[in-house]
Amino acid sequence: MSTTPHRALRIVLRVFAVLAAATGLLVIFSSKPFLVRLPLSPPEAEFTDLFLFLLKEMGGLALLLSLLVFYASRDPVRNVAIIDALIAGLCVLAVTPLLSLYTLDLQRLYPPYLFWVRSLARLAIAALLFYLRPREIAQAVV
């Protein structure tokens, strides 16, 4: 089991796991009128049944991610690969909205600064996790 040097990382990972689980459950069990009223509410015509189906699938992936991060928070030294994957995923998620901003006509729906703020926040979280990640190699259990 990991010791106190990774307490900050464990807390950050558990907060992330709780937020991901809450988001996943909210998306899975919410209705169409509620999803339309969420922040950055797009026009209601954009919410097709296929979009809602894919959104609920993403809620399931958020639950999966929350379980992985929760298990990584229990012993960060042995589960450093999950932390590294989370860091890489956050970096990818920081780049893809910016690509969408410039390849699609999204300026008519949302102001571009929202995309930049979200991307910078994701990069900041990735940098924090990279700073807190364990550097030592876990000893093999014999």
Side-chain angles (χ1 to χ4, degrees):
M1 233 22 215
S2 64
T3 57
T4 55
H6 302 294
R7 175 171 282 191
L9 177 63
R10 293 172 72 177
I11 292 170
V12 169
L13 288 174
R14 285 192 178 152
V15 167
F16 191 80
V18 167
L19 289 175
T23 302
L25 290 172
L26 179 76
V27 169
I28 288 172
F29 294 112
S30 60
S31 62
K32 182 177 179 176
F34 181 75
L35 288 174
V36 170
R37 283 187 227 119
L38 282 178
L40 296 177
S41 55
E44 193 166 345
E46 299 286 330
F47 272 82
T48 63
D49 289 338
L50 179 62
F51 179 71
L52 288 172
F53 171 74
L54 292 175
L55 197 60
K56 290 185 185 283
E57 290 282 326
M58 293 302 292
L61 287 174
L63 284 177
L64 171 101
L65 176 69
S66 71
L67 282 174
L68 286 173
V69 172
F70 174 73
Y71 289 137
S73 72
R74 292 173 64 197
D75 191 6
V77 175
R78 293 188 63 183
N79 297 310
V80 74
I82 295 174
I83 298 168
D84 290 341
L86 183 62
I87 292 168
L90 285 170
C91 290
V92 168
L93 284 174
V95 172
T96 53
L98 298 177
L99 289 175
S100 297
L101 178 65
Y102 291 112
T103 58
L104 303 172
D105 188 25
L106 296 177
Q107 286 95 359
R108 65 183 173 88
L109 293 174
Y110 307 118
Y113 73 88
L114 292 176
F115 292 94
W116 283 98
V117 168
R118 281 179 40 199
S119 294
L120 290 175
R122 288 173 178 166
L123 285 176
I125 294 169
L128 175 68
L129 288 174
F130 185 76
Y131 175 74
L132 294 175
R133 72 184 283 277
R135 303 281 188 241
E136 65 268 9
I137 299 171
Q139 299 294 326
V141 178
V142 180

